[in-house]
Amino acid sequence: VGYVYEATHRPSKTKIAMKVIDRADMVDPALGKRLRREIAVMKLIKHPHVVSVNDVKCFKCTQINNA
């Protein structure tokens, strides 16, 4: 769900992956639950070939707040 972009974290100048989910997709409560579960699992994975979750931001949505 969503699109993943390669980006650069400006303060640290490190490469990051940024996942963007369309607000229209967030009307489904099941999707919010799925995303919270995905975030929780990704926070547990520590591997050099898997990106780590550093931050979660939700703009104008209610489905993944408090993730």
Side-chain angles (χ1 to χ4, degrees):
V1 173
Y3 298 94
V4 178
Y5 298 97
E6 182 179 342
T8 302
H9 181 252
R10 288 181 182 171
S12 66
K13 297 186 178 26
T14 57
K15 297 261 182 195
I16 62 168
M18 182 173 62
K19 187 171 194 175
V20 177
I21 300 162
D22 192 319
R23 186 175 21 208
D25 292 335
M26 294 305 298
V27 295
D28 181 7
L31 178 61
K33 184 176 180 181
R34 178 178 161 194
L35 289 172
R36 284 191 301 277
R37 193 171 49 245
E38 178 182 326
I39 292 163
V41 169
M42 290 300 296
K43 285 182 175 182
L44 297 174
I45 298 173
K46 306 292 184 223
H47 191 277
H49 297 291
V50 178
V51 297
S52 60
V53 174
N54 295 319
D55 198 4
V56 176
K57 296 216 186 299
C58 184
F59 300 96
K60 296 183 181 179
C61 68
T62 59
Q63 297 297 327
I64 62 170
N65 286 340
N66 303 317

